[in-house]
Amino acid sequence: MFNFDLVSSAIAPIATIARLDNSVTSGKTNSIKQWLVFSASAFLVSIPVFVQAPLVRLYPTISLLSTIAWIALSLILIFRPKTQLWGDLLLGFAGCWLAGSIYWGWFRWEPILHLPVESIGLPFAIWCLGKSWGKVGGYFYLGSLFGTAITDLYFYLTGLMPYWRQVMHAEPELAMPIFQSAIGQIETPWGIGWALVLIAVLLTVGLLSLRGTELHWRAFSGAVLSTLLVDGLFWLAASAA
């Protein structure tokens, strides 16, 4: 008589090993995806700075209308299962692009309006998160907005708002002396002290969120920590001039 118990006993270890192998593979895949989301978020934060900024200064309407293309592309990716994650992230980026186009195109002369305009997508992001939809893009937008708020707070605390206005009104070739004056304002005990405090805040928030295993926390962390990189590059460029 055929012994099913014996066969089951023989197959059980093999099945267990197979499940363990699948679990390890799945874990590695998820880890790679987490770091890809983190890296993509950091990259997307830098695009408005190095690509959108010169575009919006010369052709603000084109920059604004291109938001439609970003949203369309994100929706195409969202409705495809294999690319849903990246469409989600791109939709959050589209919100940042829209806000940046509006502010830097028509309101860049008034720094007080920077954060309110950059927050234009906040109600939509909160609504999406309330519906548990678009978490990766929503958290990316929130991380980017948080980094913007910290940077603006530093400008306010160190008295850099007047320099902001002067730079926005000046011709590009005349902006460098203004930057140098602003650097002098930063390189004071007050400016350095607040820089250290706010850098610590960004690092703490960014690194704590990096500990989360969910993809939306990686998107948030990438957006927050990349703020340090972007601000640091601006400071180095102005200091070297």
Side-chain angles (χ1 to χ4, degrees):
M1 184 175 178
F2 191 77
N3 193 332
F4 286 101
D5 291 337
L6 182 61
V7 174
S8 298
S9 299
I11 292 176
I14 299 174
T16 301
I17 292 173
R19 285 195 298 269
L20 288 173
D21 285 344
N22 288 336
S23 177
V24 170
T25 302
S26 176
K28 289 181 178 178
T29 302
N30 191 49
S31 178
I32 292 172
K33 188 177 290 186
Q34 289 171 359
W35 286 110
L36 283 175
V37 170
F38 175 85
S39 302
S41 298
F43 174 72
L44 288 175
V45 166
S46 68
I47 287 181
V49 177
F50 300 108
V51 178
Q52 187 182 27
L55 173 65
V56 78
R57 190 178 184 101
L58 297 173
Y59 308 106
T61 303
I62 292 177
S63 179
L64 180 62
L65 292 177
S66 64
T67 307
I68 299 173
W70 288 121
I71 294 175
L73 178 58
S74 67
L75 292 177
I76 290 171
L77 295 176
I78 284 174
F79 288 108
R80 294 178 179 177
K82 290 184 178 180
T83 58
Q84 182 178 7
L85 169 63
W86 307 113
D88 187 351
L89 180 60
L90 195 60
L91 186 60
F93 169 74
C96 296
W97 185 277
L98 171 64
S101 296
I102 295 173
Y103 177 76
W104 295 107
W106 290 276
F107 298 99
R108 62 178 178 268
W109 297 278
E110 183 45 67
I112 299 299
L113 296 177
H114 185 216
L115 191 59
V117 175
E118 290 288 348
S119 303
I120 193 172
L122 188 58
F124 180 70
I126 293 174
W127 180 82
C128 287
L129 295 179
K131 299 290 184 180
S132 295
W133 184 84
K135 274 191 170 184
V136 173
Y139 272 80
F140 168 80
Y141 178 83
L142 292 178
S144 178
L145 187 62
F146 178 76
T148 298
I150 293 295
T151 302
D152 284 12
L153 178 61
Y154 180 76
F155 271 73
Y156 176 77
L157 291 171
T158 54
L160 293 174
M161 293 300 189
Y163 296 101
W164 182 321
R165 295 186 181 96
Q166 292 175 35
V167 167
M168 291 301 110
H169 281 97
E171 295 297 325
E173 61 272 11
L174 301 176
M176 201 49 66
I178 303 173
F179 275 122
Q180 292 172 342
S181 298
I183 289 297
Q185 187 87 351
I186 292 172
E187 293 176 343
T188 61
W190 180 262
I192 293 172
W194 273 113
L196 292 175
V197 169
L198 296 180
I199 286 171
V201 171
L202 286 170
L203 281 173
T204 300
V205 173
L207 293 176
L208 284 177
S209 56
L210 189 60
R211 296 174 63 183
T213 57
E214 296 90 345
L215 295 176
H216 58 269
W217 282 119
R218 293 303 173 101
F220 181 85
S221 178
V224 170
L225 292 177
S226 62
T227 301
L228 289 170
L229 175 62
V230 171
D231 289 351
L233 289 175
F234 267 117
W235 182 82
L236 287 174
S239 298

